[in-house]
Amino acid sequence: MSIVHDLFSNPESEFFSIGLGGRLGKPRAAQAQFAEAVEGLLDQHSGIGIIQGETGSGKTAGYLVPALLKAAKTGALVVISTNTLNLQKQL
């Protein structure tokens, strides 16, 4: 199991109770699957992919957490781009 799986699968995790200012709520199965898919993409050579998710499914944490963990582990540069001002302010 990966750290991403552990973080998104444990409802008692401090990640959900205090992480990101306590705004994550509770873990959702779709969010865990999304985060694990992102982690898998980042482990591939190109690290490029397209993953789609519904509004409110937890996509932001689902891509930020694996990307930041990968950057911390490898020193890789992470670039997040969005065209919505609300999401830009949240990030």
Side-chain angles (χ1 to χ4, degrees):
M1 295 287 167
S2 71
I3 190 167
V4 168
H5 175 81
D6 293 344
L7 287 173
F8 281 91
S9 298
N10 181 1
E12 305 302 320
S13 169
E14 288 183 5
F15 175 69
F16 280 91
S17 62
I18 62 174
L20 299 180
R23 295 180 291 186
L24 288 178
K26 295 187 178 196
R28 296 167 253 176
Q31 187 179 45
Q33 292 172 343
F34 187 90
E36 289 177 38
V38 170
E39 181 181 44
L41 282 171
L42 293 172
D43 287 341
Q44 293 178 6
H45 180 66
S46 69
I48 297 172
I50 298 173
I51 303 174
Q52 188 174 342
E54 295 181 24
T55 301
S57 62
K59 294 181 299 292
T60 302
Y63 63 74
L64 280 179
V65 171
L68 294 174
L69 288 171
K70 177 78 170 188
K73 182 178 178 181
T74 65
L77 176 66
V78 173
V79 177
I80 305 295
S81 177
T82 179
N83 68 344
T84 62
L85 292 176
N86 282 341
L87 189 52
Q88 289 175 15
K89 290 176 185 176
Q90 289 175 13
L91 296 174

PDB file of all heavy atoms in Angstrom, residues 34-76:
ATOM      1  N   PHE A  34      -9.061   8.595  -7.191  1.00  0.00           N
ATOM      2  CA  PHE A  34      -8.500   9.683  -7.981  1.00  0.00           C
ATOM      3  C   PHE A  34      -7.046   9.927  -7.575  1.00  0.00           C
ATOM      4  O   PHE A  34      -6.154  10.017  -8.419  1.00  0.00           O
ATOM      5  CB  PHE A  34      -9.340  10.946  -7.767  1.00  0.00           C
ATOM      6  CG  PHE A  34      -8.974  12.092  -8.652  1.00  0.00           C
ATOM      7  CD1 PHE A  34      -9.579  12.258  -9.884  1.00  0.00           C
ATOM      8  CD2 PHE A  34      -8.032  13.029  -8.254  1.00  0.00           C
ATOM      9  CE1 PHE A  34      -9.245  13.322 -10.707  1.00  0.00           C
ATOM     10  CE2 PHE A  34      -7.685  14.091  -9.063  1.00  0.00           C
ATOM     11  CZ  PHE A  34      -8.299  14.238 -10.298  1.00  0.00           C
ATOM     12  N   ALA A  35      -6.805  10.034  -6.271  1.00  0.00           N
ATOM     13  CA  ALA A  35      -5.448  10.297  -5.766  1.00  0.00           C
ATOM     14  C   ALA A  35      -4.492   9.163  -6.133  1.00  0.00           C
ATOM     15  O   ALA A  35      -3.340   9.415  -6.504  1.00  0.00           O
ATOM     16  CB  ALA A  35      -5.481  10.492  -4.249  1.00  0.00           C
ATOM     17  N   GLU A  36      -4.969   7.940  -6.048  1.00  0.00           N
ATOM     18  CA  GLU A  36      -4.118   6.802  -6.413  1.00  0.00           C
ATOM     19  C   GLU A  36      -3.832   6.782  -7.915  1.00  0.00           C
ATOM     20  O   GLU A  36      -2.733   6.415  -8.335  1.00  0.00           O
ATOM     21  CB  GLU A  36      -4.754   5.500  -5.953  1.00  0.00           C
ATOM     22  CG  GLU A  36      -4.707   5.360  -4.428  1.00  0.00           C
ATOM     23  CD  GLU A  36      -5.393   4.110  -3.926  1.00  0.00           C
ATOM     24  OE1 GLU A  36      -5.275   3.061  -4.579  1.00  0.00           O
ATOM     25  OE2 GLU A  36      -6.056   4.186  -2.878  1.00  0.00           O
ATOM     26  N   ALA A  37      -4.808   7.205  -8.730  1.00  0.00           N
ATOM     27  CA  ALA A  37      -4.579   7.289 -10.179  1.00  0.00           C
ATOM     28  C   ALA A  37      -3.537   8.361 -10.493  1.00  0.00           C
ATOM     29  O   ALA A  37      -2.655   8.162 -11.330  1.00  0.00           O
ATOM     30  CB  ALA A  37      -5.891   7.582 -10.901  1.00  0.00           C
ATOM     31  N   VAL A  38      -3.618   9.495  -9.806  1.00  0.00           N
ATOM     32  CA  VAL A  38      -2.623  10.558  -9.990  1.00  0.00           C
ATOM     33  C   VAL A  38      -1.247  10.066  -9.562  1.00  0.00           C
ATOM     34  O   VAL A  38      -0.249  10.281 -10.256  1.00  0.00           O
ATOM     35  CB  VAL A  38      -3.021  11.837  -9.215  1.00  0.00           C
ATOM     36  CG1 VAL A  38      -1.891  12.849  -9.196  1.00  0.00           C
ATOM     37  CG2 VAL A  38      -4.279  12.448  -9.817  1.00  0.00           C
ATOM     38  N   GLU A  39      -1.186   9.388  -8.435  1.00  0.00           N
ATOM     39  CA  GLU A  39       0.085   8.838  -7.966  1.00  0.00           C
ATOM     40  C   GLU A  39       0.679   7.896  -9.020  1.00  0.00           C
ATOM     41  O   GLU A  39       1.877   7.939  -9.302  1.00  0.00           O
ATOM     42  CB  GLU A  39      -0.128   8.102  -6.648  1.00  0.00           C
ATOM     43  CG  GLU A  39       1.136   7.508  -6.072  1.00  0.00           C
ATOM     44  CD  GLU A  39       0.873   6.756  -4.775  1.00  0.00           C
ATOM     45  OE1 GLU A  39      -0.119   5.994  -4.708  1.00  0.00           O
ATOM     46  OE2 GLU A  39       1.662   6.940  -3.839  1.00  0.00           O
ATOM     47  N   GLY A  40      -0.167   7.061  -9.621  1.00  0.00           N
ATOM     48  CA  GLY A  40       0.295   6.151 -10.655  1.00  0.00           C
ATOM     49  C   GLY A  40       0.835   6.892 -11.867  1.00  0.00           C
ATOM     50  O   GLY A  40       1.863   6.525 -12.436  1.00  0.00           O
ATOM     51  N   LEU A  41       0.149   7.960 -12.264  1.00  0.00           N
ATOM     52  CA  LEU A  41       0.627   8.763 -13.391  1.00  0.00           C
ATOM     53  C   LEU A  41       1.974   9.402 -13.083  1.00  0.00           C
ATOM     54  O   LEU A  41       2.858   9.457 -13.934  1.00  0.00           O
ATOM     55  CB  LEU A  41      -0.380   9.861 -13.736  1.00  0.00           C
ATOM     56  CG  LEU A  41      -1.607   9.437 -14.521  1.00  0.00           C
ATOM     57  CD1 LEU A  41      -2.609  10.569 -14.606  1.00  0.00           C
ATOM     58  CD2 LEU A  41      -1.200   8.982 -15.910  1.00  0.00           C
ATOM     59  N   LEU A  42       2.123   9.888 -11.860  1.00  0.00           N
ATOM     60  CA  LEU A  42       3.376  10.544 -11.484  1.00  0.00           C
ATOM     61  C   LEU A  42       4.538   9.562 -11.422  1.00  0.00           C
ATOM     62  O   LEU A  42       5.693   9.962 -11.584  1.00  0.00           O
ATOM     63  CB  LEU A  42       3.219  11.263 -10.138  1.00  0.00           C
ATOM     64  CG  LEU A  42       2.273  12.464 -10.155  1.00  0.00           C
ATOM     65  CD1 LEU A  42       2.052  12.970  -8.730  1.00  0.00           C
ATOM     66  CD2 LEU A  42       2.790  13.563 -11.051  1.00  0.00           C
ATOM     67  N   ASP A  43       4.232   8.295 -11.204  1.00  0.00           N
ATOM     68  CA  ASP A  43       5.275   7.275 -11.171  1.00  0.00           C
ATOM     69  C   ASP A  43       5.711   6.835 -12.566  1.00  0.00           C
ATOM     70  O   ASP A  43       6.747   6.201 -12.714  1.00  0.00           O
ATOM     71  CB  ASP A  43       4.811   6.056 -10.364  1.00  0.00           C
ATOM     72  CG  ASP A  43       4.790   6.336  -8.873  1.00  0.00           C
ATOM     73  OD1 ASP A  43       5.453   7.295  -8.432  1.00  0.00           O
ATOM     74  OD2 ASP A  43       4.103   5.595  -8.147  1.00  0.00           O
ATOM     75  N   GLN A  44       4.906   7.182 -13.576  1.00  0.00           N
ATOM     76  CA  GLN A  44       5.279   6.867 -14.952  1.00  0.00           C
ATOM     77  C   GLN A  44       6.336   7.855 -15.421  1.00  0.00           C
ATOM     78  O   GLN A  44       6.479   8.950 -14.869  1.00  0.00           O
ATOM     79  CB  GLN A  44       4.069   6.940 -15.878  1.00  0.00           C
ATOM     80  CG  GLN A  44       3.038   5.878 -15.607  1.00  0.00           C
ATOM     81  CD  GLN A  44       1.835   6.027 -16.526  1.00  0.00           C
ATOM     82  OE1 GLN A  44       1.814   6.848 -17.430  1.00  0.00           O
ATOM     83  NE2 GLN A  44       0.826   5.217 -16.279  1.00  0.00           N
ATOM     84  N   HIS A  45       7.028   7.509 -16.456  1.00  0.00           N
ATOM     85  CA  HIS A  45       8.119   8.350 -16.955  1.00  0.00           C
ATOM     86  C   HIS A  45       7.643   9.758 -17.320  1.00  0.00           C
ATOM     87  O   HIS A  45       8.240  10.741 -16.920  1.00  0.00           O
ATOM     88  CB  HIS A  45       8.794   7.698 -18.160  1.00  0.00           C
ATOM     89  CG  HIS A  45       9.913   8.500 -18.721  1.00  0.00           C
ATOM     90  ND1 HIS A  45      11.073   8.737 -18.010  1.00  0.00           N
ATOM     91  CD2 HIS A  45      10.039   9.150 -19.890  1.00  0.00           C
ATOM     92  CE1 HIS A  45      11.869   9.493 -18.740  1.00  0.00           C
ATOM     93  NE2 HIS A  45      11.266   9.751 -19.886  1.00  0.00           N
ATOM     94  N   SER A  46       6.562   9.873 -18.066  1.00  0.00           N
ATOM     95  CA  SER A  46       6.121  11.196 -18.515  1.00  0.00           C
ATOM     96  C   SER A  46       5.376  11.950 -17.428  1.00  0.00           C
ATOM     97  O   SER A  46       5.451  13.173 -17.354  1.00  0.00           O
ATOM     98  CB  SER A  46       5.216  11.076 -19.745  1.00  0.00           C
ATOM     99  OG  SER A  46       3.976  10.487 -19.396  1.00  0.00           O
ATOM    100  N   GLY A  47       4.647  11.245 -16.585  1.00  0.00           N
ATOM    101  CA  GLY A  47       3.876  11.896 -15.535  1.00  0.00           C
ATOM    102  C   GLY A  47       2.735  12.741 -16.064  1.00  0.00           C
ATOM    103  O   GLY A  47       2.214  13.598 -15.374  1.00  0.00           O
ATOM    104  N   ILE A  48       2.329  12.515 -17.308  1.00  0.00           N
ATOM    105  CA  ILE A  48       1.283  13.314 -17.932  1.00  0.00           C
ATOM    106  C   ILE A  48       0.058  12.442 -18.142  1.00  0.00           C
ATOM    107  O   ILE A  48       0.161  11.306 -18.615  1.00  0.00           O
ATOM    108  CB  ILE A  48       1.763  13.887 -19.281  1.00  0.00           C
ATOM    109  CG1 ILE A  48       2.949  14.820 -19.045  1.00  0.00           C
ATOM    110  CG2 ILE A  48       0.622  14.597 -20.000  1.00  0.00           C
ATOM    111  CD1 ILE A  48       3.611  15.283 -20.313  1.00  0.00           C
ATOM    112  N   GLY A  49      -1.103  12.976 -17.813  1.00  0.00           N
ATOM    113  CA  GLY A  49      -2.331  12.227 -18.027  1.00  0.00           C
ATOM    114  C   GLY A  49      -3.534  13.124 -17.856  1.00  0.00           C
ATOM    115  O   GLY A  49      -3.414  14.264 -17.399  1.00  0.00           O
ATOM    116  N   ILE A  50      -4.678  12.620 -18.225  1.00  0.00           N
ATOM    117  CA  ILE A  50      -5.939  13.338 -18.054  1.00  0.00           C
ATOM    118  C   ILE A  50      -6.847  12.468 -17.207  1.00  0.00           C
ATOM    119  O   ILE A  50      -7.102  11.311 -17.543  1.00  0.00           O
ATOM    120  CB  ILE A  50      -6.609  13.634 -19.411  1.00  0.00           C
ATOM    121  CG1 ILE A  50      -5.713  14.538 -20.248  1.00  0.00           C
ATOM    122  CG2 ILE A  50      -7.980  14.263 -19.195  1.00  0.00           C
ATOM    123  CD1 ILE A  50      -6.209  14.759 -21.657  1.00  0.00           C
ATOM    124  N   ILE A  51      -7.305  13.047 -16.104  1.00  0.00           N
ATOM    125  CA  ILE A  51      -8.230  12.350 -15.212  1.00  0.00           C
ATOM    126  C   ILE A  51      -9.380  13.299 -14.960  1.00  0.00           C
ATOM    127  O   ILE A  51      -9.167  14.472 -14.657  1.00  0.00           O
ATOM    128  CB  ILE A  51      -7.566  11.971 -13.869  1.00  0.00           C
ATOM    129  CG1 ILE A  51      -6.324  11.120 -14.118  1.00  0.00           C
ATOM    130  CG2 ILE A  51      -8.552  11.233 -12.986  1.00  0.00           C
ATOM    131  CD1 ILE A  51      -5.546  10.821 -12.869  1.00  0.00           C
ATOM    132  N   GLN A  52     -10.577  12.798 -15.058  1.00  0.00           N
ATOM    133  CA  GLN A  52     -11.763  13.627 -14.914  1.00  0.00           C
ATOM    134  C   GLN A  52     -12.520  13.224 -13.661  1.00  0.00           C
ATOM    135  O   GLN A  52     -12.536  12.054 -13.289  1.00  0.00           O
ATOM    136  CB  GLN A  52     -12.644  13.431 -16.148  1.00  0.00           C
ATOM    137  CG  GLN A  52     -13.804  14.353 -16.241  1.00  0.00           C
ATOM    138  CD  GLN A  52     -14.520  14.181 -17.581  1.00  0.00           C
ATOM    139  OE1 GLN A  52     -13.977  13.643 -18.535  1.00  0.00           O
ATOM    140  NE2 GLN A  52     -15.742  14.629 -17.634  1.00  0.00           N
ATOM    141  N   GLY A  53     -13.143  14.211 -13.004  1.00  0.00           N
ATOM    142  CA  GLY A  53     -13.947  13.910 -11.826  1.00  0.00           C
ATOM    143  C   GLY A  53     -15.084  14.906 -11.689  1.00  0.00           C
ATOM    144  O   GLY A  53     -14.997  16.041 -12.171  1.00  0.00           O
ATOM    145  N   GLU A  54     -16.127  14.503 -11.024  1.00  0.00           N
ATOM    146  CA  GLU A  54     -17.296  15.356 -10.840  1.00  0.00           C
ATOM    147  C   GLU A  54     -17.012  16.497  -9.873  1.00  0.00           C
ATOM    148  O   GLU A  54     -16.122  16.401  -9.025  1.00  0.00           O
ATOM    149  CB  GLU A  54     -18.455  14.530 -10.289  1.00  0.00           C
ATOM    150  CG  GLU A  54     -18.944  13.464 -11.240  1.00  0.00           C
ATOM    151  CD  GLU A  54     -20.111  12.689 -10.659  1.00  0.00           C
ATOM    152  OE1 GLU A  54     -20.816  13.212  -9.778  1.00  0.00           O
ATOM    153  OE2 GLU A  54     -20.308  11.556 -11.093  1.00  0.00           O
ATOM    154  N   THR A  55     -17.801  17.548  -9.973  1.00  0.00           N
ATOM    155  CA  THR A  55     -17.715  18.672  -9.041  1.00  0.00           C
ATOM    156  C   THR A  55     -17.945  18.158  -7.629  1.00  0.00           C
ATOM    157  O   THR A  55     -18.856  17.374  -7.380  1.00  0.00           O
ATOM    158  CB  THR A  55     -18.779  19.729  -9.393  1.00  0.00           C
ATOM    159  OG1 THR A  55     -18.545  20.173 -10.722  1.00  0.00           O
ATOM    160  CG2 THR A  55     -18.730  20.903  -8.429  1.00  0.00           C
ATOM    161  N   GLY A  56     -17.090  18.591  -6.713  1.00  0.00           N
ATOM    162  CA  GLY A  56     -17.242  18.197  -5.313  1.00  0.00           C
ATOM    163  C   GLY A  56     -16.696  16.833  -4.974  1.00  0.00           C
ATOM    164  O   GLY A  56     -16.918  16.330  -3.878  1.00  0.00           O
ATOM    165  N   SER A  57     -15.963  16.224  -5.900  1.00  0.00           N
ATOM    166  CA  SER A  57     -15.456  14.869  -5.648  1.00  0.00           C
ATOM    167  C   SER A  57     -14.104  14.862  -4.936  1.00  0.00           C
ATOM    168  O   SER A  57     -13.590  13.802  -4.616  1.00  0.00           O
ATOM    169  CB  SER A  57     -15.364  14.091  -6.957  1.00  0.00           C
ATOM    170  OG  SER A  57     -14.457  14.700  -7.845  1.00  0.00           O
ATOM    171  N   GLY A  58     -13.531  16.030  -4.707  1.00  0.00           N
ATOM    172  CA  GLY A  58     -12.262  16.092  -3.995  1.00  0.00           C
ATOM    173  C   GLY A  58     -11.046  16.060  -4.903  1.00  0.00           C
ATOM    174  O   GLY A  58      -9.981  15.600  -4.510  1.00  0.00           O
ATOM    175  N   LYS A  59     -11.214  16.567  -6.117  1.00  0.00           N
ATOM    176  CA  LYS A  59     -10.120  16.522  -7.088  1.00  0.00           C
ATOM    177  C   LYS A  59      -8.907  17.327  -6.636  1.00  0.00           C
ATOM    178  O   LYS A  59      -7.776  16.883  -6.832  1.00  0.00           O
ATOM    179  CB  LYS A  59     -10.593  17.041  -8.450  1.00  0.00           C
ATOM    180  CG  LYS A  59     -11.635  16.173  -9.124  1.00  0.00           C
ATOM    181  CD  LYS A  59     -12.048  16.725 -10.464  1.00  0.00           C
ATOM    182  CE  LYS A  59     -12.672  18.086 -10.407  1.00  0.00           C
ATOM    183  NZ  LYS A  59     -13.972  18.161  -9.780  1.00  0.00           N
ATOM    184  N   THR A  60      -9.117  18.487  -6.044  1.00  0.00           N
ATOM    185  CA  THR A  60      -7.988  19.345  -5.679  1.00  0.00           C
ATOM    186  C   THR A  60      -7.035  18.626  -4.729  1.00  0.00           C
ATOM    187  O   THR A  60      -5.835  18.522  -4.996  1.00  0.00           O
ATOM    188  CB  THR A  60      -8.477  20.672  -5.062  1.00  0.00           C
ATOM    189  OG1 THR A  60      -9.327  21.333  -6.009  1.00  0.00           O
ATOM    190  CG2 THR A  60      -7.310  21.572  -4.723  1.00  0.00           C
ATOM    191  N   ALA A  61      -7.549  18.107  -3.633  1.00  0.00           N
ATOM    192  CA  ALA A  61      -6.698  17.344  -2.715  1.00  0.00           C
ATOM    193  C   ALA A  61      -6.215  16.069  -3.389  1.00  0.00           C
ATOM    194  O   ALA A  61      -5.093  15.622  -3.148  1.00  0.00           O
ATOM    195  CB  ALA A  61      -7.458  17.006  -1.434  1.00  0.00           C
ATOM    196  N   GLY A  62      -7.038  15.520  -4.274  1.00  0.00           N
ATOM    197  CA  GLY A  62      -6.695  14.288  -4.963  1.00  0.00           C
ATOM    198  C   GLY A  62      -5.496  14.404  -5.886  1.00  0.00           C
ATOM    199  O   GLY A  62      -4.793  13.435  -6.121  1.00  0.00           O
ATOM    200  N   TYR A  63      -5.241  15.596  -6.417  1.00  0.00           N
ATOM    201  CA  TYR A  63      -4.029  15.751  -7.233  1.00  0.00           C
ATOM    202  C   TYR A  63      -2.914  16.459  -6.488  1.00  0.00           C
ATOM    203  O   TYR A  63      -1.741  16.200  -6.726  1.00  0.00           O
ATOM    204  CB  TYR A  63      -4.307  16.416  -8.589  1.00  0.00           C
ATOM    205  CG  TYR A  63      -4.830  17.825  -8.590  1.00  0.00           C
ATOM    206  CD1 TYR A  63      -4.017  18.896  -8.281  1.00  0.00           C
ATOM    207  CD2 TYR A  63      -6.139  18.087  -8.948  1.00  0.00           C
ATOM    208  CE1 TYR A  63      -4.503  20.196  -8.303  1.00  0.00           C
ATOM    209  CE2 TYR A  63      -6.634  19.366  -8.981  1.00  0.00           C
ATOM    210  CZ  TYR A  63      -5.809  20.425  -8.661  1.00  0.00           C
ATOM    211  OH  TYR A  63      -6.290  21.698  -8.679  1.00  0.00           O
ATOM    212  N   LEU A  64      -3.255  17.358  -5.564  1.00  0.00           N
ATOM    213  CA  LEU A  64      -2.207  18.077  -4.835  1.00  0.00           C
ATOM    214  C   LEU A  64      -1.397  17.172  -3.919  1.00  0.00           C
ATOM    215  O   LEU A  64      -0.170  17.261  -3.877  1.00  0.00           O
ATOM    216  CB  LEU A  64      -2.807  19.212  -4.005  1.00  0.00           C
ATOM    217  CG  LEU A  64      -3.134  20.493  -4.726  1.00  0.00           C
ATOM    218  CD1 LEU A  64      -3.754  21.492  -3.750  1.00  0.00           C
ATOM    219  CD2 LEU A  64      -1.909  21.087  -5.382  1.00  0.00           C
ATOM    220  N   VAL A  65      -2.065  16.321  -3.188  1.00  0.00           N
ATOM    221  CA  VAL A  65      -1.363  15.482  -2.213  1.00  0.00           C
ATOM    222  C   VAL A  65      -0.341  14.560  -2.886  1.00  0.00           C
ATOM    223  O   VAL A  65       0.834  14.564  -2.511  1.00  0.00           O
ATOM    224  CB  VAL A  65      -2.354  14.711  -1.315  1.00  0.00           C
ATOM    225  CG1 VAL A  65      -1.641  13.683  -0.469  1.00  0.00           C
ATOM    226  CG2 VAL A  65      -3.122  15.689  -0.438  1.00  0.00           C
ATOM    227  N   PRO A  66      -0.736  13.780  -3.903  1.00  0.00           N
ATOM    228  CA  PRO A  66       0.283  12.936  -4.543  1.00  0.00           C
ATOM    229  C   PRO A  66       1.398  13.754  -5.204  1.00  0.00           C
ATOM    230  O   PRO A  66       2.563  13.358  -5.161  1.00  0.00           O
ATOM    231  CB  PRO A  66      -0.490  12.141  -5.600  1.00  0.00           C
ATOM    232  CG  PRO A  66      -1.908  12.285  -5.277  1.00  0.00           C
ATOM    233  CD  PRO A  66      -2.057  13.509  -4.454  1.00  0.00           C
ATOM    234  N   ALA A  67       1.051  14.897  -5.791  1.00  0.00           N
ATOM    235  CA  ALA A  67       2.069  15.728  -6.446  1.00  0.00           C
ATOM    236  C   ALA A  67       3.060  16.285  -5.427  1.00  0.00           C
ATOM    237  O   ALA A  67       4.273  16.265  -5.655  1.00  0.00           O
ATOM    238  CB  ALA A  67       1.402  16.860  -7.215  1.00  0.00           C
ATOM    239  N   LEU A  68       2.559  16.754  -4.305  1.00  0.00           N
ATOM    240  CA  LEU A  68       3.450  17.309  -3.279  1.00  0.00           C
ATOM    241  C   LEU A  68       4.303  16.223  -2.625  1.00  0.00           C
ATOM    242  O   LEU A  68       5.477  16.447  -2.326  1.00  0.00           O
ATOM    243  CB  LEU A  68       2.642  18.075  -2.235  1.00  0.00           C
ATOM    244  CG  LEU A  68       1.961  19.343  -2.761  1.00  0.00           C
ATOM    245  CD1 LEU A  68       1.066  19.948  -1.689  1.00  0.00           C
ATOM    246  CD2 LEU A  68       2.985  20.350  -3.248  1.00  0.00           C
ATOM    247  N   LEU A  69       3.721  15.047  -2.413  1.00  0.00           N
ATOM    248  CA  LEU A  69       4.499  13.940  -1.858  1.00  0.00           C
ATOM    249  C   LEU A  69       5.619  13.529  -2.816  1.00  0.00           C
ATOM    250  O   LEU A  69       6.744  13.274  -2.397  1.00  0.00           O
ATOM    251  CB  LEU A  69       3.596  12.746  -1.552  1.00  0.00           C
ATOM    252  CG  LEU A  69       2.662  12.898  -0.358  1.00  0.00           C
ATOM    253  CD1 LEU A  69       1.674  11.745  -0.293  1.00  0.00           C
ATOM    254  CD2 LEU A  69       3.454  12.995   0.940  1.00  0.00           C
ATOM    255  N   LYS A  70       5.310  13.477  -4.103  1.00  0.00           N
ATOM    256  CA  LYS A  70       6.320  13.121  -5.112  1.00  0.00           C
ATOM    257  C   LYS A  70       7.426  14.177  -5.141  1.00  0.00           C
ATOM    258  O   LYS A  70       8.611  13.846  -5.189  1.00  0.00           O
ATOM    259  CB  LYS A  70       5.647  13.006  -6.482  1.00  0.00           C
ATOM    260  CG  LYS A  70       6.570  12.727  -7.629  1.00  0.00           C
ATOM    261  CD  LYS A  70       6.962  11.279  -7.657  1.00  0.00           C
ATOM    262  CE  LYS A  70       7.690  10.959  -8.952  1.00  0.00           C
ATOM    263  NZ  LYS A  70       7.923   9.544  -9.108  1.00  0.00           N
ATOM    264  N   ALA A  71       7.046  15.453  -5.078  1.00  0.00           N
ATOM    265  CA  ALA A  71       8.033  16.530  -5.090  1.00  0.00           C
ATOM    266  C   ALA A  71       8.922  16.468  -3.857  1.00  0.00           C
ATOM    267  O   ALA A  71      10.138  16.647  -3.951  1.00  0.00           O
ATOM    268  CB  ALA A  71       7.331  17.881  -5.166  1.00  0.00           C
ATOM    269  N   ALA A  72       8.314  16.208  -2.704  1.00  0.00           N
ATOM    270  CA  ALA A  72       9.094  16.126  -1.464  1.00  0.00           C
ATOM    271  C   ALA A  72      10.066  14.947  -1.501  1.00  0.00           C
ATOM    272  O   ALA A  72      11.189  15.039  -1.008  1.00  0.00           O
ATOM    273  CB  ALA A  72       8.155  16.004  -0.263  1.00  0.00           C
ATOM    274  N   LYS A  73       9.636  13.853  -2.100  1.00  0.00           N
ATOM    275  CA  LYS A  73      10.457  12.640  -2.142  1.00  0.00           C
ATOM    276  C   LYS A  73      11.591  12.743  -3.159  1.00  0.00           C
ATOM    277  O   LYS A  73      12.697  12.272  -2.901  1.00  0.00           O
ATOM    278  CB  LYS A  73       9.562  11.448  -2.481  1.00  0.00           C
ATOM    279  CG  LYS A  73      10.266  10.116  -2.505  1.00  0.00           C
ATOM    280  CD  LYS A  73       9.280   8.995  -2.795  1.00  0.00           C
ATOM    281  CE  LYS A  73       9.970   7.656  -2.859  1.00  0.00           C
ATOM    282  NZ  LYS A  73       9.034   6.574  -3.163  1.00  0.00           N
ATOM    283  N   THR A  74      11.314  13.361  -4.304  1.00  0.00           N
ATOM    284  CA  THR A  74      12.279  13.343  -5.398  1.00  0.00           C
ATOM    285  C   THR A  74      12.914  14.691  -5.706  1.00  0.00           C
ATOM    286  O   THR A  74      13.867  14.753  -6.470  1.00  0.00           O
ATOM    287  CB  THR A  74      11.610  12.849  -6.694  1.00  0.00           C
ATOM    288  OG1 THR A  74      10.611  13.802  -7.094  1.00  0.00           O
ATOM    289  CG2 THR A  74      10.997  11.477  -6.515  1.00  0.00           C
ATOM    290  N   GLY A  75      12.355  15.755  -5.146  1.00  0.00           N
ATOM    291  CA  GLY A  75      12.841  17.090  -5.477  1.00  0.00           C
ATOM    292  C   GLY A  75      12.316  17.589  -6.809  1.00  0.00           C
ATOM    293  O   GLY A  75      12.774  18.614  -7.326  1.00  0.00           O
ATOM    294  N   ALA A  76      11.352  16.884  -7.386  1.00  0.00           N
ATOM    295  CA  ALA A  76      10.776  17.272  -8.674  1.00  0.00           C
ATOM    296  C   ALA A  76      10.001  18.583  -8.547  1.00  0.00           C
ATOM    297  O   ALA A  76       9.457  18.908  -7.494  1.00  0.00           O
ATOM    298  CB  ALA A  76       9.844  16.175  -9.184  1.00  0.00           C
TER     299      ALA A  76
END
